[in-house]
Amino acid sequence: MRLIFGVLALLVALGVVAQLARTQLAATRTERVVPAAGEGAASPGGGAVVSPRHQPQEVKRAVEGLMQQARPMPEDKP
């Protein structure tokens, strides 16, 4: 009898986890519509909207630009 309840409890837990996984996967499957470059749309952060396919290149360019900036020199403390 205990074996039956144990198996049923495991099946219920598996069902709950499967439902949570399904909702999480459904949230990531939403398609993002990227407007054409001529439309001038901007993201809420103020930057241009970039398609997910071009994001790695944009991040690489941003990091390279930051690496080229001169660092401020600390003041000497006597």
Side-chain angles (χ1 to χ4, degrees), residues 50-64:
V50 179
S51 69
R53 196 174 286 173
H54 293 114
Q55 283 179 348
Q57 290 96 2
E58 290 294 321
V59 170
K60 184 178 178 183
R61 284 188 210 130
V63 170
E64 286 175 352

Side-chain angles (χ1 to χ4, degrees), residues 4-5 8 11-12 14 23 27 32 35 39 42 48 51 53 55-56 64-65 69-71 74 78:
I4 293 172
F5 286 132
L8 286 175
L11 287 176
V12 169
L14 181 63
T23 57
R32 297 178 185 155
E39 293 181 15
S51 69
R53 196 174 286 173
Q55 283 179 348
E64 286 175 352
Q69 293 178 357
R71 292 190 309 178

Side-chain angles (χ1 to χ4, degrees), residues 13-54:
L14 181 63
V16 170
V17 170
Q19 184 64 30
L20 289 173
R22 184 180 302 172
T23 57
Q24 289 293 320
L25 287 176
T28 60
R29 288 184 189 154
T30 58
E31 292 186 27
R32 297 178 185 155
V33 177
V34 179
E39 293 181 15
S43 66
V49 176
V50 179
S51 69
R53 196 174 286 173
H54 293 114

Side-chain angles (χ1 to χ4, degrees), residues 71-77:
R71 292 190 309 178
M73 295 299 293
E75 296 179 16
D76 292 333
K77 294 182 180 179

